[in-house]
Amino acid sequence: YRQFIDEMRIANPHCKVIGLTATPFRTGTGDLCGPDSIFDEVCYEAPVKQLIDEGFLCPLTTKPTDANADLTNVPIRTGEYVQTEMQRAFMSDNLVERACAEIVDKTNDRMSILIFTSGVDHCGAVAQKIRDLTGEEVEDVVAGTRTLMRASSLERFKNGTLRWLVNVGVLTTGFDAPNIDTVVVMRATQSAGLFAQICGRGFRICANKDDCLVLDMGQNIERHGPLDDEDYGRRKKKSREQAGPTKECLECGKECPAGCAFCPHCGSAFPDPEANFDDKADVGAAILQSQQKAIWYTVIPD
């Protein structure tokens, strides 16, 4: 891109460069605008909340899930979970059967269900289990799926004759099916941008569609926060004095913000803090800030 733009400026010193993106940041490098970047500044942005309020995007909703993968021992390499180990975590301890049963139960009123899985073997196992549980037709799409078969599955899913579509990373971008009313995330990612793209498949508005349900079985919402947060996906650089309270990760030994549930460096989970409370509502994580609920604790004085 830089070579092309530099040569365009030789041909026309007055040429202007503009960029259009849904995510004006990259997880590893931060904002796309800056003194060393192609872009100088953001000239216009339309936040997710504004687009939902104005009717350009469909609201997302979520439900707590029980059949979640244990990612504690899944290693991270070059900023992302090692795919083979992540797939193993999502297929361990009879998790496929339990997760699929939960998905079927939570989507009985949904018409177009798109599922993202953690690998080819996982994809096939999930598709077969849902077939067994529902007796319905379920198509799976992977990188090796033949072109005509893939085209047929996607077309039938778009026109509503196919209710279930399971895939491995091939429908995260460029797939436009406004009728999607459920996105199931049976994988984990350290990339806020990738998770936004996955959930974004359900943002399209469509007739007879009030919202899109997101079932997150990889703790991605807890890891990245609500999608409509104005700082979603941006890593803020703060000095030690500004960083606030921290705690040390028991796995990698690096300092982390005191309030985080997962280490931002290695991805390992922190143990739940001990607390005195009578009861805690199972509210789950909020996919949008407007859905965040307060958790009330009863403080017992000594």
Side-chain angles (χ1 to χ4, degrees):
Y1 284 114
R2 288 184 182 275
Q3 180 181 353
F4 174 78
I5 292 170
D6 289 343
E7 294 182 6
M8 284 293 295
R9 283 173 171 157
I10 294 174
N12 178 8
H14 301 291
C15 77
K16 304 296 182 183
V17 180
I18 64 170
L20 306 173
T21 180
T23 51
F25 60 88
R26 294 296 178 265
T27 303
T29 57
D31 290 340
L32 291 178
C33 298
D36 298 323
S37 303
I38 294 174
F39 306 106
D40 300 317
E41 62 179 341
V42 176
C43 62
Y44 176 78
E45 60 183 330
V48 169
K49 184 179 185 305
Q50 174 187 333
L51 293 174
I52 292 176
D53 292 343
E54 294 180 357
F56 292 104
L57 293 181
C58 172
L60 301 184
T61 185
T62 189
K63 295 178 181 178
T65 54
D66 296 320
N68 302 317
D70 181 2
L71 303 168
T72 305
N73 297 318
V74 177
I76 294 175
R77 187 178 301 145
T78 63
E80 187 56 286
Y81 289 108
V82 175
Q83 192 272 328
T84 54
E85 297 299 320
M86 177 176 65
Q87 178 174 238
R88 184 175 290 112
F90 275 90
M91 297 185 70
S92 64
D93 300 326
N94 205 28
L95 188 59
V96 170
E97 183 174 351
R98 292 189 291 114
C100 289
E102 184 174 1
I103 291 167
V104 170
D105 178 64
K106 285 183 164 68
T107 59
N108 55 15
D109 59 343
R110 299 283 167 165
M111 299 305 298
S112 299
I113 304 158
L114 178 63
I115 302 177
F116 291 86
T117 56
S118 59
V120 174
D121 293 342
H122 187 213
C123 180
V126 168
Q128 186 58 52
K129 179 53 65 175
I130 293 178
R131 291 188 195 103
D132 296 341
L133 290 171
T134 64
E136 299 176 20
E137 189 175 8
V138 182
E139 294 288 355
D140 54 297
V141 178
V142 301
T145 302
R146 293 183 178 181
T147 303
L148 291 178
M149 294 177 61
R150 178 187 297 196
S152 174
S153 298
L154 300 189
E155 181 58 33
R156 291 168 55 230
F157 184 73
K158 289 180 180 181
N159 65 31
T161 58
L162 176 67
R163 183 173 179 235
W164 300 90
L165 185 60
V166 188
N167 84 106
V168 184
V170 296
L171 302 178
T172 54
T173 59
F175 179 55
D176 184 18
N179 55 305
I180 295 172
D181 61 4
T182 305
V183 174
V184 182
V185 190
M186 302 180 77
R187 61 155 297 166
T189 178
Q190 288 285 319
S191 170
L194 176 59
F195 183 60
Q197 292 282 6
I198 289 173
C199 296
R201 300 310 97 199
F203 266 136
R204 273 58 167 183
I205 57 175
C206 184
N208 302 318
K209 174 183 170 182
D210 296 325
D211 57 34
C212 178
L213 173 66
V214 176
L215 296 179
D216 176 26
M217 296 180 160
Q219 299 93 52
N220 296 288
I221 301 174
E222 290 94 333
R223 190 174 300 114
H224 302 299
L227 290 174
D228 57 347
D229 188 332
E230 63 179 15
D231 290 325
Y232 178 85
R234 291 183 171 93
R235 291 182 175 178
K236 298 180 180 179
K237 296 180 180 179
K238 296 182 178 181
S239 65
R240 181 176 294 273
E241 292 75 19
Q242 296 173 319
T246 61
K247 58 186 177 183
E248 182 177 325
C249 175
L250 299 177
E251 294 294 327
C252 68
K254 295 184 179 180
E255 285 192 352
C256 311
C260 64
F262 295 86
C263 174
H265 306 288
C266 70
S268 62
F270 286 98
D272 291 333
E274 296 181 1
N276 290 325
F277 57 90
D278 290 340
D279 190 21
K280 176 180 177 180
D282 183 14
V283 296
I287 191 82
L288 299 176
Q289 285 186 319
S290 60
Q291 299 165 6
Q292 289 179 326
K293 299 178 181 179
I295 300 176
W296 291 86
Y297 294 91
T298 300
V299 178
I300 303 173
D302 292 336

